[in-house]
Amino acid sequence: MSGFVFSEKPIRIERGEGPYLYDDSGTEYLDFGASYAVTPVGHCHPDVVAAAKDQLEELMFVQASYPNDARDACYEKLADVAPEGIDNVWLCNSGTEANEAALKFARSATGRQKIVATQRAFHGRTMGALAATWKQKYKKPFEPLAAGFETVPYGDSEALAETVDEETAAVIVEPIQGEGGINPAPEGYLEAAREACDETGAALVFDEIQTGLGRTGDFWACEHEGVVPDILTSAKGLASGLPLGGTLCRDWIAEDAGPHGSTFSGNPVVCAAAAATLDVLVEDDLPAHAAEMGEYLHEEIEAEDLPIRDVRGRGLMTGIEVKRGSNRLLRDLALNHRILALPAGRSVLRLLPPLVIDEEHVDRVVGALSETMGASTES
Ligand SMILES: *Cc1c(COP(=O)(O)O)cnc(C)c1O
């Protein structure tokens, strides 16, 4: 028997350490996609491994209605790093579930139905989150999806102000679109979204599943513009690869969030891994390091004068728009340079390395890009 949803790559990975992955013959790969931003503190960080192991031996699971130290520590640490005013945490098992909860909470707390999302957004693949996701290819075979969704062009403050009204329960936005091509919100857009929600009573939801946890140089990307949402969602690297999503919200949402729940919510082992991950991010000041390394990466890419259309992003969330498709480039990087990266659509190469990388890793990647792109323009 074999899995059938994902197309498999010709490299079998067995082990991970820091920014590296190793295949079954011991070959080392530099993981510059962090398996979709899932390892912010690096693969198998010893503190995270130790915390999960200890908890595994103590108690693997207890239902969320019984308080537990590992879960409480995770709640507390999340509240510590959350933007001011966001003090409530709901834990689940993935990004799409975190967004699903965000949209349910917003509908319940506002008593309204309409949800406004943006073009080229990605919010997940369950029937609700998928309705807020843009790409037709992901949606069409599964329709009908949840109803009540409207879409506006990303970055257009006027369109947002015109569409958000007294019937709107929520506006859901990625501060920098990930899957959609690494598109940073233009300056003032998040603020405009905040205003549109304040004027109408809608809940502002920031999907920080890819942008959060230090990746963009701040702990949350919304901090860059000083805009605080009503609900903030996190997942991906939150527990270094153990499945965890979080829906963080203000009191007015939590007080009237409605009857939501999930059996695995706040699993103690996953919570212990998350608490350790958050500790490493804070103690090693990894958001600041990501800002510095991101700047260096952008400088080096520009200095190299690569044959590209654009480079965008912030911190260690970088998109390089290439002239031809990104597939062949990704393959060359993996097989000839032992560097693993990601696509974002057909023409964008997406770099989301662990935040622990150093200049030597950046140099290696930029050198490989230069060689690979040089080679692909000649042939
Ligand atoms: C990955 C991602 C999701 C979905 O997370 P899953 O854990 O795959 O369900 C939602 N929003 C954004 C911005 C993401 O990057």
Side-chain angles (χ1 to χ4, degrees), residues 4-345:
F4 69 95
V5 169
F6 290 96
S7 64
E8 290 184 351
K9 305 205 182 305
I11 301 170
R12 181 168 288 268
I13 299 298
E14 287 201 331
R15 197 167 68 77
E17 190 180 332
Y20 298 109
L21 286 168
Y22 299 86
D23 72 8
D24 51 0
S25 64
T27 302
E28 181 183 274
Y29 294 86
L30 180 58
D31 186 7
F32 239 63
S35 282
Y36 293 103
V38 168
T39 61
V41 303
H43 288 280
C44 295
H45 190 288
D47 293 4
V48 178
V49 172
K53 259 187 175 169
D54 287 350
Q55 185 57 43
L56 198 54
E57 286 173 355
E58 192 71 25
L59 177 68
M60 273 174 85
F61 188 71
V62 64
Q63 69 191 69
S65 46
Y66 294 109
N68 163 269
D69 285 353
R71 194 185 308 116
D72 284 349
C74 179
Y75 286 151
E76 243 165 69
K77 285 177 202 289
L78 266 174
D80 282 350
V81 295
E84 183 91 37
I86 305 217
D87 299 321
N88 308 279
V89 183
W90 154 255
L91 294 175
C92 53
N93 316 290
S94 67
T96 197
E97 275 178 83
N99 283 335
E100 206 72 32
L103 300 177
K104 283 177 74 176
F105 294 170
R107 278 189 173 166
S108 172
T110 60
R112 305 170 180 181
Q113 295 186 355
K114 178 169 146 183
I115 290 164
V116 178
T118 61
Q119 291 180 4
R120 291 197 283 177
F122 183 84
H123 297 296
R125 298 178 190 253
T126 47
M127 294 295 203
L130 191 55
T133 289
W134 172 246
K135 221 186 220 177
Q136 282 304 309
K137 185 181 139 192
Y138 293 163
K139 298 162 68 156
K140 232 14 200 177
F142 309 116
E143 286 174 347
L145 307 175
F149 288 70
E150 281 184 34
T151 307
V152 292
Y154 184 75
D156 183 339
S157 300
E158 267 175 48
L160 200 58
E162 278 166 25
T163 310
V164 179
D165 56 22
E166 318 275 301
E167 325 239 285
T168 307
V171 175
I172 182 165
V173 184
E174 294 157 90
I176 299 177
Q177 290 185 325
E179 167 90 22
I182 310 293
N183 311 311
E187 217 184 300
Y189 185 58
L190 302 185
E191 183 66 48
R194 181 68 275 174
E195 279 166 20
C197 289
D198 286 343
E199 277 166 24
T200 55
L204 180 59
V205 182
F206 284 160
D207 176 345
E208 293 248 18
I209 289 167
Q210 195 162 146
T211 51
L213 306 173
R215 175 147 306 278
T216 67
D218 293 292
F219 205 97
W220 307 106
C222 63
E223 289 168 18
H224 188 73
E225 295 213 28
V227 180
V228 180
D230 299 294
I231 307 178
L232 183 153
T233 55
S234 178
K236 293 218 153 78
L238 188 50
S240 289
L242 295 189
L244 183 64
T247 306
L248 284 56
C249 62
R250 292 184 191 264
D251 291 343
W252 74 271
I253 302 283
E255 280 156 13
D256 197 7
H260 190 58
S262 167
T263 301
F264 289 139
S265 176
N267 172 296
V269 178
V270 181
C271 283
T277 302
L278 292 169
D279 277 346
V280 176
L281 284 169
V282 170
E283 282 160 20
D284 294 354
D285 205 2
L286 288 178
H289 184 68
E292 210 178 297
M293 286 303 107
E295 228 165 86
Y296 181 68
L297 173 65
H298 281 242
E299 277 166 22
E300 292 302 294
I301 289 172
E302 264 152 37
E304 203 62 40
D305 204 17
L306 300 173
I308 56 176
R309 286 190 205 282
D310 191 21
V311 53
R312 29 178 208 264
R314 205 160 64 232
L316 289 175
M317 181 170 184
T318 301
I320 302 173
E321 193 172 332
V322 295
K323 292 187 175 162
R324 296 193 200 155
S326 61
N327 271 349
R328 155 114 188 263
L329 196 59
L330 283 163
R331 200 185 147 82
D332 283 355
L333 284 174
L335 299 181
N336 302 329
H337 296 273
R338 314 278 178 234
I339 291 167
L340 307 181
L342 299 164

